[in-house]
């Protein structure tokens, strides 16, 4: 007791176990590291895998529908149907060996050898190409897909009054095809002309010694009609 007759107050020390609380959150660091590694793994898998545009189209349609996005069901044609239609046009026109159809990561591609549509160093469509381009225009009008028309050249330089380089020539050829489609009634917003020059060869233009490979150069001189892989409006 103190001098006033009262009991002294007792003091208590409270110790907080900071170490235990910190240990309870350590698993978050490990978990976040694991999620990051899994994400990186799946990104690599997707990057190195070959894209199937038909499957991609189905997935995109399903995802769009799930979030309430509308697309034109009355004019919905699959890329597989486009592929079949284009192969039929090649067969009807007797162009096997001069034109071909392939899938690409962005859609379906109809590829013409350069001398099929144009003469050397020219961007004027040859008369023999009018029939097949007219059928293509009809196909484009009937389908909701947007179209890229791409002009490609080999690596041989060109210098003329009209075309100072392969860039101008490839762009002029793509534009000529686009103009043809416009004259056939294709809506302008569906078309785009793209000049690639020699930047996207199908095969190397030269061998390891730097000598030109004429067969490869002939393959690289081409025009591609690309049906881009989404029919959503």
């Amino acid at each position: 007791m103190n001098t006033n007759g009262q009991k002294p107050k007792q003091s208590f020390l409270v110790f907080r176990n900071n170490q235990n609380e910190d240990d309870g959150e350590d698993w978050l660091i490990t978990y976040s590291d694991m999620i990051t590694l899994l994400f990186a793994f799946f990104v690599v898998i997707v990057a190195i895998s070959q894209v199937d545009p038909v499957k991609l189209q189905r997935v995109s349609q399903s995802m769009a529908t799930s979030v309430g996005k509308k697309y034109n069901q009355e004019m919905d044609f699959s890329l597989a149907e486009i592929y079949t239609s284009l192969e039929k046009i090649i067969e009807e026109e007797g162009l096997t060996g001069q034109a071909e159809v392939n899938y690409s990561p962005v859609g379906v591609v109809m590829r013409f050898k350069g001398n099929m549509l144009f003469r050397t160093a020219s961007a004027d469509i040859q008369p023999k190409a009018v029939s097949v381009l007219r059928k293509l225009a009809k196909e484009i009008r009937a389908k909701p897909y947007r179209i890229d028309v791409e002009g490609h050249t080999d690596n041989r330089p060109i210098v003329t009054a009209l075309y100072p380089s392969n860039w101008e020539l490839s762009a002029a050829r793509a534009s000529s095809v686009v103009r043809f489609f416009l004259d056939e009634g294709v809506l302008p917003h569906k078309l785009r002309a793209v000049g690639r020059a020699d930047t996207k060869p199908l095969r190397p233009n030269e061998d390891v010694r730097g000598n030109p490979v004429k067969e490869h150069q002939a393959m690289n001189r081409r025009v591609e009609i690309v049906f881009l892989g989404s029919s959503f409006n």
Side-chain angles (χ1 to χ4, degrees), residues 30-50:
T30 304
Y31 179 77
S32 62
D33 288 343
M34 181 186 69
I35 293 299
T36 302
L37 289 173
L38 284 174
F39 176 77
F41 172 78
F42 284 113
V43 167
V44 171
I45 291 297
V46 172
I48 66 175
S49 64
Q50 183 175 1

Side-chain angles (χ1 to χ4, degrees), residues 38 60 83-84 118 125 170 182 211 215:
L38 284 174
S60 64
Y83 186 100
T84 301
F118 304 101
I125 294 174
S170 62
L182 291 172
N211 300 315
E215 288 185 6

Side-chain angles (χ1 to χ4, degrees), residues 2-218:
N2 58 21
T3 55
N4 296 327
Q6 296 178 343
K7 292 182 179 180
K9 295 181 179 179
Q10 295 180 345
S11 298
F12 296 94
L13 295 177
V14 179
F15 295 94
R16 179 175 293 177
N17 192 344
N18 292 326
Q19 184 177 0
N20 290 338
E21 288 190 359
D22 291 341
D23 289 343
E25 296 178 357
D26 284 347
W27 66 273
L28 289 174
I29 299 174
T30 304
Y31 179 77
S32 62
D33 288 343
M34 181 186 69
I35 293 299
T36 302
L37 289 173
L38 284 174
F39 176 77
F41 172 78
F42 284 113
V43 167
V44 171
I45 291 297
V46 172
I48 66 175
S49 64
Q50 183 175 1
V51 178
D52 185 333
V54 175
K55 292 180 180 178
L56 180 62
Q57 182 188 55
R58 292 172 181 168
V59 171
S60 64
Q61 289 177 351
S62 176
M63 292 178 65
T65 301
S66 68
V67 298
K69 187 174 182 180
K70 296 181 179 179
Y71 64 97
N72 192 342
Q73 292 180 340
E74 294 180 358
M75 293 186 63
D76 187 25
F77 297 84
S78 73
L79 290 173
E81 290 173 314
I82 298 289
Y83 186 100
T84 301
S85 297
L86 298 182
E87 281 198 322
K88 183 178 179 182
I89 290 175
I90 291 176
E91 183 179 350
E92 290 174 348
E93 293 294 313
L95 296 177
T96 303
Q98 294 181 286
E100 63 181 11
V101 184
N102 292 290
Y103 287 117
S104 82
V106 297
V108 174
V109 181
M110 189 170 188
R111 181 177 297 139
F112 293 97
K113 290 186 176 179
N115 59 1
M116 168 62 202
L117 300 185
F118 304 101
R119 295 184 179 89
T120 301
S122 172
D124 296 325
I125 294 174
Q126 297 198 79
K128 66 179 182 180
V130 169
S131 177
V132 65
L133 290 179
R134 190 162 284 153
K135 288 185 177 181
L136 260 178
K138 182 180 179 180
E139 187 74 15
I140 294 170
R141 288 198 309 268
K143 305 298 189 292
Y145 294 89
R146 288 182 170 83
I147 307 297
D148 272 1
V149 180
E150 297 187 357
H152 299 261
T153 69
D154 58 27
N155 66 332
R156 295 179 303 170
I158 179 175
V159 180
T160 68
L162 284 176
Y163 312 116
S165 74
N166 282 320
W167 286 105
E168 286 82 6
L169 177 61
S170 62
R173 287 179 169 178
S175 297
S176 291
V177 176
V178 165
R179 285 198 305 271
F180 183 94
F181 289 155
L182 291 172
D183 291 341
E184 291 293 315
V186 177
L187 296 175
H189 76 273
K190 297 178 69 173
L191 298 169
R192 180 172 62 175
V194 183
R196 301 288 191 186
D198 61 340
T199 60
K200 289 195 172 183
L202 296 174
R203 296 288 187 274
N205 286 294
E206 299 174 344
D207 61 22
V208 293
R209 296 181 179 179
N211 300 315
V213 181
K214 293 185 177 180
E215 288 185 6
H216 291 182
Q217 289 178 328

